[in-house]
Amino acid sequence: MNILLESLRLIFLTIYYNLEAFLKFFIPQRKKDVSGEIVLITGSGSGIGRLMALEFALLDVSLVLWDINVDGLKETAEQVKEKGASRVHYYQCDCSDREAVYRVADQVKSEIGDVTILINNAGIVSGKKFMDTPDALIEKTLRVNAMSHFWTYKAFLPAMTDKNHGHLVSVASSAGLIGVNGLADYCASKFAAVGFAESVALELLSAGKDGIKTTIVCPFLINTGLFDGCGTKWPRLMPMLEPDYVARRIVSAILTDQVFVLLPRSLYFLMALKGIIPYKQSVILGMYFGAFNFMDAFKGREKKRD
């Protein structure tokens, strides 16, 4: 194909996809049927993971719950059963441990079957300045928030690829799109999670595996306890997000095959702005929105695991 034809194709598809995106903004999308799917949620012993499990409880799926906190897993399992889920399985798994991930993944495949919707949600935050963060805690943050995604993909993606069917979900953060003062290790892990998920999605498209969908979620601060003590300077522009709302939006994005989810919506504008304004102006903008002071009053929950 010569340059003229390729250029015309680019122009046509650019107009088409922009028009499609514009219409989707106003027209509710049809939700896919996920009944019978096997949904694995990491970090489902509390927080967003538990709330997503409760959303899926109504959708006739087999739920597989992972967390390091067994008591939290039991509570989640009881709650989703009370809400109507009939196929619920939970496994203790330390997602920072590669061998544990592979071992429990093999157990899931043997006892339940091939996971078809994988939601990487487990996460931790140190809440310390970079030079005050012990090396072991930096490594732990990177293993839980990023490396665990590599290992769960390695465990469950082959079966999805064989069937050209599945959905990969990365619950990342707005801190995976822009650096934040006092969150160096956390930002690094979330940038890694976003880049990894996006790259694997492109690999799958290149291989013709368009039946495997990807959803990358980048929310602002969520009121789950993980960031207790943190606040937002301008709540109307950048509100602290309510966990129920975030969980509903993530599940809705999965059901409509939405690729990127930024919460709140104002993040779409801010990220577009980041790419076109001078660096010094972006610093001033960050100061305006309080990005330099988000972590000043950080407390976190006693057990910093999502």
Side-chain angles (χ1 to χ4, degrees):
M1 190 179 291
N2 62 40
I3 189 170
L4 176 60
L5 290 177
E6 287 203 19
S7 299
L8 289 173
R9 179 176 179 272
L10 173 64
I11 293 169
F12 172 77
L13 290 177
T14 298
I15 295 171
Y16 175 82
Y17 288 133
N18 276 277
L19 180 60
E20 180 186 57
F22 178 77
L23 292 174
K24 283 183 177 180
F25 189 80
F26 296 100
I27 302 173
Q29 298 301 297
R30 182 194 299 183
K31 295 182 178 181
K32 66 184 180 185
D33 181 12
V34 294
S35 57
E37 304 284 1
I38 299 178
V39 181
L40 189 152
I41 308 172
T42 68
S44 50
S46 64
I48 296 300
R50 174 178 291 176
L51 293 171
M52 285 190 289
L54 289 167
E55 292 291 321
F56 274 110
L58 304 172
L59 300 178
D60 191 29
V61 302
S62 293
L63 276 169
V64 182
L65 311 175
W66 280 16
D67 204 290
I68 196 170
N69 181 351
V70 177
D71 291 336
L73 281 174
K74 290 179 180 179
E75 291 176 9
T76 302
E78 290 172 1
Q79 290 181 25
V80 296
K81 287 177 182 177
E82 289 172 1
K83 199 164 183 180
S86 59
R87 302 183 299 278
V88 184
H89 315 267
Y90 62 87
Y91 299 83
Q92 183 180 32
C93 184
D94 181 356
C95 289
S96 71
D97 183 338
R98 182 184 66 227
E99 295 307 319
V101 169
Y102 289 157
R103 183 183 66 255
V104 180
D106 286 340
Q107 191 177 352
V108 168
K109 287 183 279 188
S110 173
E111 297 176 357
I112 303 165
D114 293 323
V115 169
T116 53
I117 299 178
L118 171 63
I119 305 176
N120 279 308
N121 166 73
I124 60 173
V125 58
S126 68
K128 299 178 183 293
K129 297 286 188 181
F130 170 63
M131 293 304 293
D132 297 329
T133 311
D135 292 349
L137 189 51
I138 292 173
E139 291 174 355
K140 182 85 168 182
T141 299
L142 290 168
R143 287 200 304 270
V144 174
N145 296 0
M147 293 306 300
S148 64
H149 297 205
F150 287 68
W151 303 328
T152 55
Y153 272 39
K154 279 286 186 76
F156 299 114
L157 186 54
M160 295 186 192
T161 303
D162 288 343
K163 300 172 185 175
N164 191 25
H165 174 78
H167 203 131
L168 302 166
V169 184
S170 174
V171 181
S173 168
S174 59
L177 301 172
I178 186 168
V180 179
N181 178 40
L183 280 176
D185 56 340
Y186 185 79
C187 286
S189 68
K190 293 300 185 178
F191 266 85
V194 171
F196 172 67
E198 191 170 6
S199 296
V200 173
L202 294 176
E203 283 189 20
L204 292 168
L205 285 175
S206 178
K209 302 298 181 180
D210 56 356
I212 304 173
K213 308 303 181 182
T214 300
T215 296
I216 302 170
V217 187
C218 295
F220 185 57
L221 298 177
I222 308 173
N223 189 23
T224 60
L226 192 68
F227 282 92
D228 267 359
C230 299
T232 174
K233 187 176 180 181
W234 309 116
R236 289 186 178 275
L237 290 175
M238 294 291 289
M240 194 86 156
L241 299 170
E242 288 304 315
D244 287 323
Y245 166 72
V246 176
R248 287 195 304 270
R249 284 288 292 112
I250 294 172
V251 174
S252 177
I254 294 168
L255 297 179
T256 55
D257 293 333
Q258 186 175 347
V259 179
F260 283 100
V261 182
L262 274 59
L263 300 171
R265 286 186 179 273
S266 53
L267 274 179
Y268 289 100
F269 172 72
L270 291 176
M271 294 314 303
L273 199 61
K274 178 189 175 185
I276 59 176
I277 62 176
Y279 173 73
K280 290 182 178 179
Q281 187 177 350
S282 70
V283 172
I284 294 172
L285 193 64
M287 294 173 67
Y288 174 79
F289 281 105
F292 280 59
N293 306 105
F294 281 149
M295 300 299 293
D296 286 357
F298 172 80
K299 298 176 183 176
R301 62 164 70 112
E302 185 177 346
K303 294 181 179 180
K304 302 180 181 72
R305 183 169 294 273
D306 209 14

